[in-house]
Amino acid sequence: MKIAFIGGGNMGRAMLSAILDRNLSTPGDITVSDVSAARLNHLEREFGVRTTGSNLEAIARAEIVVLAVKPQNLDEVLTELKGKLKPSQLVLSIVAGAGIDILRHRLGHDAVVRAMPNTPAQIGRGVTVWTATSQVSEKQRTQAAAVLGTMGREIYVVDEGYLDMATAVSGSGPAYLFLFMEALTSAAVDIGLPLDTARELVLEMVIGSAELARKSGGDLAGLRKMVTSPGGTTAAALDVLERGRFAGLLKNAVAAAYDKARELGG
């Protein structure tokens, strides 16, 4: 599979690494373009891929063109690539906030996949929600699913609107969880635990709880009740969270992220 990456930042590098780890492509069939010569040199040394400072040179031999630039740099890239893509090439965008109609219009190209990965993709444990235009062939959909699947789970949706919703949940979600973990670690230190011990306890608790939820297949409320004995320590803690409107605050946070995602998407 011949792939061009327009942008070699953190997410582009994560996808590149995962593709090579899963033997979906070879270093000789991957080309990366970026504005940073230092980043290109690093990627070439690390992975042995082809690199170039020219986006047009990067896409010349590619079956799949991955747009992995920062949102603020997208306009320039779309202007440069407009009219230069072959009808047989698939454009796969992981640029936050860039809707499919915008990509199609600005590129003058119809075969477009839009995907929303999250940061755990950097270690192959991410989840990516994606959709495609009707002009994307079955073969290209299979290729897109394979590429995105190298970073973890991939979930195809028909309605592009779900991507903005996914942005607010799984895309931004790791930050919500990291904030919770940060606050819980700080609270543990406040009651006397050493920082290293507190951090390890929080990390292992989160990992174990997520695995329990996955493997049990049960209702999350049921799992919460299983941990909560009437009049016990957990009940006392949850009472504080409920009085502080923890669930309501989280709903408001997700709604704010969703509104922002829709605003960025025009």
Side-chain angles (χ1 to χ4, degrees), residues 98-101 103 114 131 157-165:
I100 277 186
D101 284 344
L103 295 170
R114 180 187 170 198
T131 193
V157 295
V158 175
D159 187 345
E160 185 186 6
Y162 289 147
L163 266 72
D164 289 334
M165 299 175 196

Side-chain angles (χ1 to χ4, degrees), residues 1-6 29-31 55-66 85-86 88-90:
M1 195 180 295
K2 293 180 171 61
I3 304 173
F5 283 87
I6 309 301
D29 283 334
I30 295 178
T31 305
N55 293 331
L56 297 181
E57 182 181 335
I59 69 171
R61 54 196 295 271
E63 298 172 76
I64 300 176
V65 176
V66 179
L85 292 158
K86 301 171 188 173
S88 60
Q89 291 177 306
L90 174 67

Side-chain angles (χ1 to χ4, degrees), residues 176-191 193-210:
Y176 312 154
L177 187 56
F178 295 147
L179 176 61
F180 171 78
M181 294 165 67
E182 181 184 357
L184 187 56
T185 300
S186 177
V189 171
D190 285 347
I191 63 173
L193 280 171
L195 176 58
D196 289 348
T197 302
R199 186 176 187 276
E200 185 174 3
L201 286 175
V202 170
L203 287 173
E204 293 301 324
M205 179 275 297
V206 169
I207 293 168
S209 299

Side-chain angles (χ1 to χ4, degrees), residues 103 109 122 138 141 183 206 224 240 256:
L103 295 170
H109 189 76
Q122 296 179 28
E138 285 302 316
R141 288 189 187 216
V206 169
R224 170 175 55 79
V240 173

Side-chain angles (χ1 to χ4, degrees), residues 74 118 137 159 244:
L74 181 62
N118 62 2
S137 69
D159 187 345

